[in-house]
Amino acid sequence: MYRSIMKNRNILLYLASAGISQLGNVLSGLAFLFLSYELTESGSLTTIVAIAQALPYLLFGLIGGALADRVQKKRLIIILDVIRIPILLLLVVLYHGNLLSFWYVIVASFIIQTIGCFYNPAFRAIFPQITPLEDQTTANGMLDTVTRGVQVLTPLFSISLIHSGQISYFFIIDALTYILSVLCIFKLTFKDTTPSHQEQPIGLFRSVFSFISWVKTNYTIRILFIVTFLMVFCNTWIWQVGLLLQLIDSFDEGEEYYSLLLGWYGLGVIVINLIIPFIWKKMSLKIYLIGSLIWGTGLLVLGFSNQLAVYFIGVFIVAIGIPIVGLARVYLIQTLVPADRLGRAFSFNAVLLYTSNVISLSLFGFLYSFVGTKALFIMNGGSMIIIAALYLFLVIRTKETWRHAI
């Protein structure tokens, strides 16, 4: 299983590129926030930079996927990586010359993330082209393990950079990761062809609407996207903010326990990612919904937690459900979406996630003042269980109907 993956040169290069890019992305994301606060000493202005990092995906996410479906993906991602390098190096030069303004930080952050809107769908669309169908679940698990492992370890690595007193080191390392990523992608060998039909520029927008129309006709993908939006909507605030607030309210060492639980969660996700390929070689919508049930159950347990041991149990249950959901979603997109629509599928998925995140943070951040974290954990975890159970029943019933019809 893993042996065939380790012998596939293309997959190893792709995983190396993904890990290196993720390292740079996490470091630069932290650095833009650190730098904005150093320049302004304002929490409000620092929040503007955070918004500037999220806004491009809402504005250009779908267009990025449409473009990725029309051009040679390998060439596109190499060009985009190369473009990002001088933007970061100019920032370093301006910083050391005491010429860096807050507005350049905003513009640079916005441009870097905008480039990511076009880079990410093209990068993700390459993976199915270099991975045999029988290895896709295993390869997806390894990809998720690499990227999540980098996410867990990078903040620890950043501590040494912070102690150096030079925020510019973050951006220098990020520029180096783009160079290394280009070298890895350049060495990939696969048939990267441009679709035969060439549309006018306005065709980018038309292709977005044509993809949405196609989604409406595909039962599995339609259900997948609907449930994804609802699950992320219920999860985002209570997991990113609510868990921290609940721990602070419950324990004197709430912040330390929060960091400890996040590390426990990261370890759990990595372990489950490695185990999943031994259980399922092929994923299905049914498996996706079962994972959603487990995910919601973990959040419900956290809502009733009053001891640290119960928090560890709840977080581990979440760490079981989320990898199942994530790998099943990627597998279904890779196998059910035609190759000439993959870029739009991954960008549409990303836009759904960002939109759901923004709505969740806004709505439940407001409701928190009235109902508290425990109530929101119980309400949202219960809602996730009900939604997943209803759609699971619908999917099973639909399959039974098809069998009887045959």
Side-chain angles (χ1 to χ4, degrees), residues 315-329:
V315 168
F316 187 73
I317 295 173
V318 172
I320 295 173
I322 286 183
I324 296 173
V325 168
L327 292 184
R329 181 171 63 246

Side-chain angles (χ1 to χ4, degrees), residues 116-256:
C117 294
F118 296 88
Y119 178 96
N120 293 332
F123 186 75
R124 293 304 300 264
I126 283 178
F127 204 37
Q129 299 183 48
I130 63 174
T131 308
L133 181 61
E134 63 272 14
D135 290 333
Q136 282 193 357
T137 299
T138 306
N140 287 330
M142 290 187 67
L143 175 61
D144 197 56
T145 299
V146 168
T147 54
R148 288 185 185 274
V150 170
Q151 282 182 314
V152 172
L153 296 176
T154 299
L156 300 176
F157 174 64
S158 68
I159 293 175
S160 61
L161 294 178
I162 293 172
H163 287 315
S164 73
Q166 293 291 338
I167 295 178
S168 62
Y169 289 168
F170 284 81
F171 298 108
I172 293 172
I173 293 175
D174 193 18
L176 290 174
T177 63
Y178 290 137
I179 295 173
L180 294 174
S181 176
V182 166
L183 294 176
C184 291
I185 297 300
F186 183 77
K187 292 182 178 181
L188 289 179
T189 55
F190 66 100
K191 188 177 181 180
D192 186 16
T193 58
T194 305
S196 57
H197 60 283
Q198 295 296 327
E199 304 173 5
Q200 298 299 319
I202 194 174
L204 284 174
F205 298 94
R206 288 176 179 169
S207 65
V208 170
F209 291 110
S210 70
F211 176 76
I212 295 174
S213 298
W214 177 84
V215 169
K216 293 179 180 178
T217 65
N218 190 293
Y219 175 80
T220 301
I221 296 297
R222 185 175 74 249
I223 298 298
L224 179 70
F225 283 149
I226 291 173
V227 177
T228 293
F229 181 88
L230 294 174
M231 291 294 147
V232 174
F233 167 72
C234 291
N235 173 80
T236 298
W237 186 88
I238 61 173
W239 181 254
Q240 293 185 5
V241 182
L243 180 60
L244 174 61
L245 296 177
Q246 186 165 309
L247 287 167
I248 291 175
D249 291 339
S250 303
F251 303 100
D252 293 334
E253 303 85 1
E255 294 91 342
E256 290 82 356

